[in-house]
Structure formats: structure tokens, C-alpha cells
Amino acid sequence: MSGPSQAANAPPLLAARGLAAGYGGRPVLDGIDLELRPNEVLCLIGHNGAGKTTLLKALFGLVPLARGDVLLDGRVLARPAPAALAAAGIAYVPEGRGIFPGLTVDETLRLALWAAAVPVAERPARLGWVHDVLPRLREFGARRAGTLSGGEQQMVSIGRALLGRPRCLLMDEPSIGLAPKLFQDLLRPIRALQQATGMSVLLVEQNVREALKISDRVLAMKSGAIIREATPADLADNARLMELY
Ligand code: ATP
């Protein structure tokens, strides 16, 4: 993975140019320009219904583009598709955890190792690495995922995404329903991993105060458009943040 010095010259890892998308002919996003740079946490904020999830999905090929482009490593993708993006090291952590409640955590992670086509010989080390990043996953490995708390389930969902050793995580509201303390328990290890490896993270969050603590840049969305780019420091003052809402 690239370090900060290489990152300065590198093209954006993932980008949108003039992107428009919607559902069944109804436009949601219009003219979105976005760059997710190597080695950064970029936080996407905005009201309910602003289009944050739709943008994440469009970047990952889950919603077709009406216009514009998605670029990976500076190259336009003819048609963004989840399988190709996953193979290129982009992992998507959907809103709502998306886990199988009847499987144990260990079974969930083994299934993910298989789905990520991690060679059998590498699987124990890969699992050990994810357990080192999120140690609590080891503790509740034998529990059925459906019996875990919301935050624990979210940890499983993120752990599953990490098993493919992505260079980019797209995370949709991982903290939904979590208390602020749990937010930091969940996302500090990801921030630490990101800083250690140069990974990039695009984080959609409603819990703006907590999200700003672990972000490098912020984009604010309103009605399907990006209305402001800022640093967390720019928005430290409550009034500035309120202007966006
Ligand atoms: P939230 O913070 O509430 O998750 P968001 O900013 O992520 O909101 P989106 O979920 O992207 O917003 O929704 C943007 C708009 O697209 C909303 O008007 C929503 O109703 C609509 N929308 C989202 N998903 C679909 C869908 N599958 N079919 C039709 N319309 C949809």
C-alpha cells in the first residue's frame, strides 16, 4: 500500500466526475464530483435523503449511472460493477450490517474468507490479522451473529469487509443506533489501521461530531449535490456545522 509521500502524487483512489444517478428514472444525484484520495478518511454528511447512500452505491456499481463517470486509480470504469471493484480492493460495508443472524461469528468470517477467494493456506493468518485489528471478534466467535448487540454486529460486518485486505473501505453509517462511546470503540481501530496502512475510507455518517474526530476531510451533501468541502477543524465551531443543516 502507498504511504503518505507516495500518496501526494498518486491519482485519487476512487473518484466521481459529473455523476448522476437515481431510481427508476427519478434523479437523486446530479453532477457529483468527488475524490477519495489515498490514505485519507473522507466523511460524507448531510440530511436524511440527501443521497449519501445512493452515492456510495453508485461508486460501488450497485446503482447504475445516468451520466458521468466513476474513476478507479485515475482510470474511467466503463461500467462500475461490485465484483470488479471488490477484486480491485474496494470493500463496501452496507448500512444495516447485512449479517446472517443464524451463523456464528466464526462461520461468518470463514464464509467471507471463501467469498474473498483468500487462498486456503493464507486463511488462518488473514483471520488472525482481522482479530488483531478488532480483538473483540475473537471473544464472541462462537456466538450466533443474531444474538450480538448492534455495535458487535457492526464489528462483524466491518471485520468481514477487512478479510479481503481492502485498500479502500466504503462504510455506510456504521454507527447507526450506537452511543458515542461505542462509535469510538468501533471506528478508532479502523482509523488506526487506515493510518498504519495508507488505506482510504469513505464514511457516510449522521453522527457528525464523532465522525469528525476520525476524519481528514468532510463533504456535505444536500438534495443530491455536494454543497461544501471542509476539514474537521473548519466545522469545529457548532455554528459552522449548523449552517450546513
Ligand atoms: P439517510 O441518511 O436517511 O440514509 P441518504 O442521504 O443516504 O439518507 P439515500 O438513501 O441515498 O439518502 O436516498 C436519497 C433519495 O433516494 C431519497 O429520496 C430516497 O427516498 C430515494 N431512494 C433511496 N433508495 C431508493 C430505492 N431503492 N428506490 C427508490 N428511491 C430510493
Side-chain angles (χ1 to χ4, degrees), residues 139-187:
E139 282 168 38
F140 42 70
R143 298 250 312 265
R144 286 190 197 285
T147 69
L148 300 173
S149 72
E152 290 164 345
Q153 290 185 19
Q154 193 63 60
M155 213 171 266
V156 175
S157 183
I158 295 173
R160 182 178 55 186
L162 290 179
L163 281 168
R165 277 204 172 227
R167 56 196 182 110
C168 169
L169 269 186
L170 306 176
M171 290 203 284
D172 197 353
E173 295 204 42
S175 85
I176 205 157
L178 300 188
K181 157 88 175 69
L182 291 176
F183 180 104
Q184 294 301 336
D185 285 353
L186 185 68
L187 288 179

Side-chain angles (χ1 to χ4, degrees), residues 21-24 26-29 45-57 63 95 172-173 176 204-206 221 224:
Y23 303 95
R26 186 173 87 80
V28 172
L29 304 174
I45 65 173
H47 282 293
N48 290 117
K52 306 178 298 296
T53 295
T54 305
L55 177 52
L56 225 53
K57 286 183 172 172
V63 171
E95 187 176 358
D172 197 353
E173 295 204 42
I176 205 157
V204 167
E205 260 304 335
Q206 291 279 7
M221 285 189 76

Side-chain angles (χ1 to χ4, degrees), residues 17-173:
R17 227 164 34 192
L19 184 153
Y23 303 95
R26 186 173 87 80
V28 172
L29 304 174
D30 193 19
I32 298 278
D33 291 316
L34 169 151
E35 291 191 345
L36 176 64
R37 300 168 189 154
N39 194 20
E40 75 166 345
V41 176
L42 176 60
C43 185
L44 205 52
I45 65 173
H47 282 293
N48 290 117
K52 306 178 298 296
T53 295
T54 305
L55 177 52
L56 225 53
K57 286 183 172 172
L59 287 169
F60 197 63
L62 290 167
V63 171
L65 306 187
R67 280 192 312 283
D69 291 308
V70 171
L71 293 84
L72 178 67
D73 298 317
R75 285 188 296 275
V76 172
L77 297 176
R79 183 150 24 111
L85 283 153
I90 316 294
Y92 175 65
V93 184
E95 187 176 358
R97 294 146 202 161
I99 53 159
F100 298 109
L103 294 187
T104 68
V105 172
D106 285 344
E107 286 165 347
T108 304
L109 297 179
R110 280 204 298 273
L111 191 63
L113 281 166
W114 171 80
V118 177
V120 174
E122 284 177 33
R123 290 181 191 176
R126 190 68 67 89
L127 195 55
W129 175 75
V130 169
H131 280 149
D132 289 345
V133 176
L134 296 168
R136 297 210 47 221
L137 287 181
R138 212 177 246 127
E139 282 168 38
F140 42 70
R143 298 250 312 265
R144 286 190 197 285
T147 69
L148 300 173
S149 72
E152 290 164 345
Q153 290 185 19
Q154 193 63 60
M155 213 171 266
V156 175
S157 183
I158 295 173
R160 182 178 55 186
L162 290 179
L163 281 168
R165 277 204 172 227
R167 56 196 182 110
C168 169
L169 269 186
L170 306 176
M171 290 203 284
D172 197 353
E173 295 204 42

